[in-house]
Amino acid sequence: MRIIAFHINGFGVLADVGIENLSDGLNVILGDNGAGKSTLLEFFRAVLFGFRERRSRELPRYEPLRGGSHGGSLVVVTNDGLRFRIHRTEGSRVTGQESIVSLTDDKPAPDLVDLLGGATRDVFENIFAFSLAELQTVSSLENADVQARLYAAAAGTGAQTVPDVRKRLEEDAKRLYSERGRSELGEVLQKLEALTARRRDLGDRTADYVRLQKQREHLVAELERLERDEREAETDLARKSMWLSAWPDWQELRGLETELQAIGEVAPLPERAEERLEAALRLVEERQAAVKGAAAALESAGFQVEQALSRLGDGWTEDRVKALDTGDTTAATMAEFGRELDAASEAVMRAQEAVRHAEQAAAQAADARVALEAEERTRWPEPPRTLDSIQEDLEVVREARNEASRLVEERGKRSDLEGRRHAAEGDVRRLREAPEPIAPPARIPLFVAIGALACASVVFRISLPAALAAFAVFIIAAVVAIRGQRRAKALVRAQRAEEIREAEGRVKDLDDKIAAADESIGKRQASLNEIGARYGVSVVSSPSDLDGVEKRLQAERDSASEYAAFGQRLHEARHAEAEAADRCDEARTELNRHMQSQDTVRNRWSAWLEEIGLPPTVAPSAAAELVERIRGAQSLLETRELRASELEEAKQRLEEARAHVQLLVAEAGDADVEAFRRHAQRYRERERLLRLVRETEGRLVTRAGSPEDWPAMRTILESTPRYSLQAQAEEAKRRLDGLRQSREAAANERGALEEKLRRLETSEEQESIAAEMASCRAAMEDILRRWAVRRLCLFILDEARQRFERDHQPAVVRRASDYLAKITGGQYTRLVRQFETGVLLAETATGEQKERTAWNRGLLEQIYLCLRLGFIEDYATKAEPLPLIMDDVFANFDPHHARRAAEAIAAFARQYQVLYMTCHPDTVRYLQEADPGGAFYRLNNYRLAPLA
């Protein structure tokens, strides 16, 4: 499962923040201390496993501090490509209310437990999502639930742990069968023994048993004969009933054959003859309609020509219309003159309008200048302060506001440090107040001591020297066991002291950071108060304290800006007045020029009209309309000639269609169309009767059973009347009924004999005892089967556990060893887990093996990080892994180890999704160098954005 997007509604200091497209591989988030990285880590835990209790001592509940509803959502995708959105909000439960929405069509949303593959909060927080605190804690990987769930995932037992499964199997097996104590099998055996004893007390068989056995054998033979005769009678009845049921089809077949003989032979028609003839007749009708349409079109075209000539007026004939040139040259000349006349008229009107506008603009410019001069004298009797001096004051105030915002942020970070210090102090108190852990005993010496003591007690009466020797071995083994127990206690106490020292170191580090924050806050507050005093503000603790100063300076700046803009407007008004007077003179000169040009164009148009024979006073639009009507008349004349040609062509095509009809009729051998249709009707009727004959005969063949049996059945139907067939069927049924009655009587008699035999074989109590004994035997078989299943499961489970300890656990250690060798640069080559004690050793390049007490903090964190990576890789072979989320786990690594650790994490992220959060830019740089294609983000001011 991978997280592809998340959104925080409200969680601690984070609100309305998220990322829409997380990478499937490496994702890095850089943020300062107090920016919200730990809050983001806890957000992922809370959405998947619920909010913490309000009185939790481990971590706060992270109630929203900056608005928004408590919780948020994750969008996840599984290995098979299914997408789901997981919501976590406040609800009736302390952990909140979760909901899962499927983002894949036609795929229902699973339960959250199934989606997480059975992983628990302990597994997720200690293996998949951890901070430096969990990495440093010795017990984080020794949590019983963590180890049990990891084993269960790798062994394929789902969310159940192997010890729970094995315990339940052992309890079920002992309940079913146990050599000592009560069990289900023992109770059934006791009951069976009592029933067997009672059965031996019952009597023997009676003397009539042999006689009744012979009578039963005779009845069995008679029943077999009656059953054989009954089957023969059933077959005979079925055959005669079939003949009777076939009689209607037989009568129908004879009628069809008679009709077929009455029609006689009919000459076959050519292929698709009817279809082709009907198509040819439809074509004749269509072409007749086309001839009528062409004649009507010709008549209409002639009428339109007469109307067009009348609209042209007297003197216009067809010859005159055809002779007149209405080509493109004449139209282009008219259009050109029309454009020139329109352009000249439009130019004159524009010039006249320009003169009017120029005169109005000159008057308006003078009025505007007078009004502005009066307004200036009224609004600004004295000029305001310059813009530059006001702007300088504004810059100082804005910088002070930014400084106040940073002061608020520092106070928030200081509060977060205080909370972390309280949590660290709680860790110290918890470690000091916790009871001392019990050290594991030295098992091998203890077992030897117990065995020696038992041996001494057994051989005491047989051989005193052997008993003394065994007792001596007991003393030595007991001393060795006691010393091993003391060494184990010393080791546990040393580990506990180391944990307390680490927790106290975290408290001291947080105290130093809080003192530095207090010093920085004091300096920043003094500087802000000094700036505020210049503008009448005694104390500046937040940006809102300077709101009034900034508003006053902005108002003064706006007034000065308005005065400068007004002066520019007055200058522009005076300049505009002079320009308006000049444009008025230019407009009058231009009007005179356009009026002279208009007269010249009108004289040329009149001369051209006289040249082509039209009145010189006709306007260009009227002349163009007259030419267009003449052109329309010419087009109508051409259309009339075309319609006459189409009429002749339609008549010719009609004659061709009629000839084709006659040809088709002759092909069928008929004289005319009516004879053809009668011929076709007889042919269709004969084909229909032939088809019905085949269908009816097919049904009769089916009743007969096969085509070979049909001739014999036809002979019977032809030679036997229906009433005779019915009488034969009734006789066969009466014979079958008699045989059945005889068989039932014999069967009843046989049942009575067998009942007598059963009464003679045993009494009623014997039958009851036999039934109870059979029930006991069945119960024993069931108990033994279930016991065997559970014992086999225990054997297989033990074998699987041993194989897991032999194969899988070393595989986890081998994977962790590979990562450790990379991170330490070969200084440590592998990890070794002792088979007897389970103690983990770190082996150097020289072969030296070091226990945990010899590891420094950096090596411990590196080994615990490598073990988590190895666990996840082994976990992924049998279950779908969860995203790996880390919070600054490289913090205690030196630069060389941090760089190599970044390379190892980048390599790990090529197969699994990783989210790494840090406050160290160097760590980000190492990860960018190791994986340039990763996704990098910045967490600043409680917002997330891509890292530049």
Side-chain angles (χ1 to χ4, degrees), residues 139-375:
S139 60
S140 61
L141 289 180
E142 299 174 357
N143 181 286
D145 185 56
V146 172
Q147 292 190 349
R149 300 292 174 174
L150 285 171
Y151 173 78
T157 60
Q160 288 187 327
T161 61
V162 171
D164 293 340
V165 175
R166 195 182 191 287
K167 180 180 179 181
R168 187 159 58 253
L169 288 173
E170 287 183 343
E171 291 175 352
D172 289 349
K174 289 181 179 179
R175 177 177 52 80
L176 293 172
Y177 170 65
S178 177
E179 295 181 359
R180 301 174 182 176
R182 295 183 60 185
S183 65
E184 293 185 14
L185 183 61
E187 295 175 357
V188 174
L189 282 173
Q190 291 178 0
K191 183 177 180 181
L192 184 61
E193 290 176 357
L195 291 171
T196 303
R198 176 60 182 162
R199 187 176 183 181
R200 284 196 298 268
D201 296 337
L202 297 177
D204 206 354
R205 307 287 194 278
T206 63
D208 294 336
Y209 184 77
V210 175
R211 179 177 56 80
L212 293 176
Q213 281 276 31
K214 291 181 179 180
Q215 290 181 5
R216 183 177 63 178
E217 292 175 359
H218 175 72
L219 281 175
V220 167
E222 180 65 17
L223 271 174
E224 289 178 355
R225 183 188 64 77
L226 289 173
E227 288 174 354
R228 186 169 55 254
D229 293 344
E230 183 181 355
R231 286 193 296 272
E232 293 176 356
E234 287 176 349
T235 302
D236 183 56
L237 176 60
R239 182 171 58 255
K240 293 178 178 178
S241 297
M242 181 266 294
W243 292 343
L244 186 61
S245 64
W247 187 263
D249 289 337
W250 164 247
Q251 294 299 315
E252 182 179 355
L253 177 62
R254 294 180 63 186
L256 292 172
E257 289 176 345
T258 302
E259 292 181 18
L260 192 60
Q261 291 176 358
I263 292 176
E265 294 295 330
V266 180
L269 290 173
E271 185 178 0
R272 297 174 56 247
E274 289 183 272
E275 181 181 350
R276 290 158 54 200
L277 179 63
E278 293 300 326
L281 291 173
R282 286 195 300 271
L283 182 61
V284 169
E285 293 177 356
E286 291 173 358
R287 292 186 177 178
Q288 286 175 346
V291 169
K292 293 180 181 178
L298 177 60
E299 183 179 358
S300 175
F303 179 71
Q304 291 177 358
V305 168
E306 292 176 359
Q307 285 185 331
L309 293 175
S310 65
R311 282 195 299 270
L312 290 175
D314 297 337
W316 288 96
T317 63
E318 293 183 9
D319 294 337
R320 183 180 176 185
V321 169
K322 291 179 181 179
L324 184 63
D325 183 12
T326 58
D328 293 339
T329 302
T330 302
T333 303
M334 287 185 177
E336 181 64 27
F337 272 113
R339 285 192 294 272
E340 289 183 9
L341 288 170
D342 291 341
S345 299
E346 186 177 355
V348 170
M349 288 188 292
R350 284 199 304 269
Q352 292 172 346
E353 187 67 22
V355 169
R356 288 194 297 273
H357 283 303
E359 292 172 348
Q360 292 175 359
Q364 291 173 356
D367 294 340
R369 186 258 308 163
V370 172
L372 288 173
E373 289 175 348
E375 184 179 357

